[in-house]
Amino acid sequence: MKRLQKYVAIFGTAMLCVGFSACSKQSDFDAQSYIQSSLDAEYYREYADYANLMEISEEDAKKQVEEDFNESIRQQFVSSDNITEEEITAYTEKMAEVKKLAKYKDLGLDIIGGNGYEL
């Protein structure tokens, strides 16, 4: 019986190792495309590339970006007691206008020591 338990434990450990190694293999991640498509979605409301990269629909991409934007605005005023909903709405509209004016260009992307990316 102990011998069987030993083999089961070894087999289980081997299967976990195989499972972890299979899960750790990632497809090629194109950081440059991700950053560009994220910026385009966030600032220019161009969702097609972002949606394609994230493997979601354009409608879902738009919803995700807009919800993230609205949540970031809400977080800015979470501890403010003296601001009204109308003022938050006005601020949100102005920030949306400011985002439309943003200009950026591809500045290049460098890998930092294999651990991250830098623009």
Side-chain angles (χ1 to χ4, degrees), residues 71-109:
E71 180 60 25
S72 72
I73 299 291
R74 289 264 171 233
Q75 289 299 317
Q76 293 177 34
F77 298 107
V78 74
S79 63
S80 298
D81 293 334
N82 58 348
I83 191 164
T84 66
E85 282 297 318
E86 292 80 24
E87 292 169 326
I88 292 173
T89 301
Y91 178 79
T92 303
E93 290 169 0
K94 289 295 180 191
M95 286 303 297
E97 290 176 27
V98 168
K99 283 174 46 173
K100 290 178 190 176
L101 299 173
K103 297 193 181 331
Y104 57 87
K105 64 178 182 174
D106 179 12
L107 301 174
L109 188 66

Side-chain angles (χ1 to χ4, degrees), residues 39-46 99-104:
L39 289 171
D40 289 344
E42 182 71 30
Y43 291 101
Y44 297 150
R45 297 182 180 184
E46 297 172 2
K99 283 174 46 173
K100 290 178 190 176
L101 299 173
K103 297 193 181 331
Y104 57 87

